[in-house]
Amino acid sequence: MKTKTYRVWRFFLWGIIRLIFLVIPHGAKNEPKVEEGPYIVCANHMSAVDPIIICDVLKRQQPRFMAKKELFSVPVLGKIIGWLGAYPVDRSGRDAGVLTKTVKMIGAGYSIGMFPQGTRRPGIHPSKTPIRNGVGLICSQTHVTVLPVFLKTSGFRRRFFHPVRVYVGKPITFDEYSEGGVFEKDYRHISEYVFYRINSLDPDYVPDSVETAGENITGAGD
C-alpha cells in the first residue's frame, strides 16, 4: 500500500537518487505483487541511505523501514525517510513496543523493511558481521514472506557517484525459513537462514552453509 506522499516523492526523487548513487538493480522482478500480500524486505546495511536506495529499486509496494530514532532529527535525511514511511525504533533495547507495532502493521497489509545486522556495518563483507534476531521474531509471529536484498559497492562503503548494485532475490516463504513449521518459534534459526539467503545473493561470495553465514549471530531484537 502506497501513500500519496510516497508516490509524489518517489516520482520527483528517484531520478536524482539513481544519478547520485548510480543504482544498478538486479532481479527487481522478484518483488511480490500487491495482491500477493505484504512482505519484509531484509538487506545488509552499509549506510543511512540504504532504505532510500532499496525503495528506488522496489516499485510494487512501499516498504516501511525501521529506523533508529536519531535519524529523524538529521536535516534533510530525517524528512526523506519520514516521507518514505519509516518509523522510529529505540536501539537501546527498551523499545519492545516497536515489535508489536510491526506485527500489527504486517497484519494490516503493510510491507516492512528491516536490517538483520541492526546497525550499519561498512567496510566489511556482511557475512563477517553479527546480526540480531528481530527478523526471526517478527517472522515467527506473522509467517510473512521475506524478500532478501543484497547491497554491494566497492569495499562495502557508500560513496557519491560510485555504483551500488542491488540484488533482489526470490521471496522466502514461511515454509522455507521454518522448514515446514519445524522452526516456527526458533528466532535464531529463522534469522540465520534469512541472512544466509541475503549473503548468497552476492555473485562473488557464497557461504558454505547456513551455519557459516550465521556463526557470528548475537543478541535478540532489531
Side-chain angles (χ1 to χ4, degrees):
M1 293 186 282
K2 298 179 183 178
T3 64
K4 183 177 180 180
T5 301
Y6 182 86
R7 292 177 186 273
V8 170
W9 280 101
R10 197 179 195 290
F11 178 80
F12 287 106
L13 185 64
W14 291 166
I16 298 174
I17 294 298
R18 291 218 172 186
L19 176 64
I20 294 176
F21 295 105
L22 300 181
V23 179
I24 304 172
H26 300 269
K29 64 181 180 181
N30 287 322
E31 180 189 6
K33 298 176 181 178
V34 175
E35 56 267 27
E36 294 178 287
Y39 60 77
I40 299 179
V41 55
C42 291
N44 57 303
H45 201 10
M46 294 181 289
S47 163
V49 300
D50 289 343
I52 299 174
I53 290 174
I54 292 172
C55 286
D56 168 67
V57 173
L58 302 180
K59 295 179 170 61
R60 294 172 177 168
Q61 300 198 41
Q62 177 188 348
R64 289 151 168 86
F65 277 84
M66 286 186 182
K68 64 177 183 178
K69 62 182 183 180
E70 291 83 1
L71 290 180
F72 288 86
S73 60
V74 177
V76 182
L77 178 62
K79 287 289 185 181
I80 292 176
I81 63 175
W83 289 327
L84 293 179
Y87 56 106
V89 58
D90 184 350
R91 292 192 312 177
S92 66
R94 296 187 295 272
D95 198 3
V98 74
L99 296 177
T100 301
K101 177 180 180 178
T102 301
V103 170
K104 289 182 177 179
M105 289 174 67
I106 292 172
Y110 293 98
S111 291
I112 300 298
M114 297 179 70
F115 297 106
Q117 290 162 292
T119 189
R120 287 168 280 174
R121 304 283 185 178
I124 185 173
H125 195 282
S127 65
K128 304 299 182 182
T129 65
I131 68 171
R132 301 181 181 182
N133 293 335
V135 171
L137 175 59
I138 298 298
C139 286
S140 71
Q141 295 188 29
T142 63
H143 297 188
V144 70
T145 295
V146 174
L147 184 67
V149 171
F150 190 85
L151 304 174
K152 186 167 187 175
T153 61
S154 177
F156 290 96
R157 293 185 182 278
R158 181 78 68 243
R159 302 177 181 88
F160 292 140
F161 307 111
H162 280 71
V164 53
R165 294 186 179 274
V166 182
Y167 296 91
V168 182
K170 294 186 180 298
I172 312 169
T173 65
F174 168 74
D175 279 343
E176 283 187 84
Y177 60 68
S178 71
E179 294 191 26
V182 174
F183 295 98
E184 178 181 358
K185 299 299 182 182
D186 191 334
Y187 311 148
R188 183 183 181 90
H189 174 88
I190 295 173
S191 297
E192 287 181 350
Y193 183 76
V194 168
F195 200 52
Y196 159 76
R197 289 285 293 271
I198 291 171
N199 286 301
S200 294
L201 293 172
D202 180 2
D204 298 319
Y205 174 81
V206 178
D208 295 330
S209 65
V210 175
E211 289 75 16
T212 300
E215 65 185 359
N216 293 319
I217 291 179
T218 58
D222 242 330

